[in-house]
């Protein structure tokens, strides 16, 4: 059934997400930014995204392609580099995660192409 084919893909996405989460040891990107932490956050950031939301979307089969998954990862990074100024720990963590996470996603794409 189509469900069977989707299952291995979802396991790959979950594993890829686990690798991205490992590269955020201070868990800056683990949960949604709350309005208590940053009262103006939702005036600045129109499409919030975080790793817990991505995990729910994987579980809910909301990613049909790895590009859709990568788009949310890019959103996590872009939001952080938009809201936080360059000289902050948060901004620098986003730059680091972008560079390290990029390799994780490129590898996942190679595997998806292989399974195909
Ligand atoms: C990822 C990110 O931008 C943040 C993660 N935690 C925060 C707390 C206040 C403002 C921003 C953030």
């Amino acid at each position: 059934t189509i469900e069977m084919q989707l299952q291995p893909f979802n396991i790959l996405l979950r594993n890829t997400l686990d690798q991205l989460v490992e590269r955020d040891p201070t868990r800056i990107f683990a949960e949604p930014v709350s309005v208590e932490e940053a009262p103006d956050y939702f005036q600045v950031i129109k499409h919030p995204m975080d790793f817990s939301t991505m995990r729910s979307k994987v579980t809910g089969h909301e990613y049909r392609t790895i590009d859709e998954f990568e788009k949310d990862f890019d959103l996590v990074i872009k939001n952080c580099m938009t809201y936080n100024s360059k000289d902050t720990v948060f901004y620098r963590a986003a730059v680091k995660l972008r560079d390290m996470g990029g390799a994780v996603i490129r590898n996942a794409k190679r595997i998806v192409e292989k399974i195909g």
Side-chain angles (χ1 to χ4, degrees), residues 28-29 33 37-38 41 79-80 83-84 90:
I28 288 174
F29 307 104
V33 176
E37 291 170 307
Y41 190 79
N79 288 344
C80 184
Y83 184 78
N84 302 283
F90 285 3

Side-chain angles (χ1 to χ4, degrees), residues 6-97:
L6 277 181
Q7 199 50 26
F9 177 67
N10 249 41
I11 292 166
L12 177 131
L13 288 184
R14 202 182 306 280
N15 177 267
T16 303
L17 183 57
D18 289 347
Q19 293 176 59
L20 297 176
V21 166
E22 277 170 27
R23 285 158 177 78
D24 171 31
T26 56
R27 301 189 62 73
I28 288 174
F29 307 104
E31 302 294 336
V33 176
S34 70
V35 69
E36 292 79 20
E37 291 170 307
D40 65 338
Y41 190 79
F42 302 98
Q43 275 91 300
V44 178
I45 300 301
K46 294 307 169 198
H47 302 287
M49 187 48 64
D50 68 283
F51 287 151
S52 70
T53 303
M54 290 182 69
R55 194 172 299 281
S56 306
K57 289 180 73 171
V58 170
T59 306
H61 295 272
E62 294 183 51
Y63 297 117
R64 290 295 311 271
T65 67
I66 189 108
D67 285 340
E68 287 172 11
F69 177 86
E70 183 174 28
K71 254 173 71 181
D72 273 354
F73 173 67
D74 292 345
L75 203 45
V76 171
I77 304 294
K78 181 162 158 284
N79 288 344
C80 184
M81 295 174 75
T82 300
Y83 184 78
N84 302 283
S85 55
K86 284 191 80 161
D87 61 337
T88 61
V89 169
F90 285 3
Y91 185 100
R92 289 201 189 99
V95 171
K96 233 178 98 189
L97 179 67

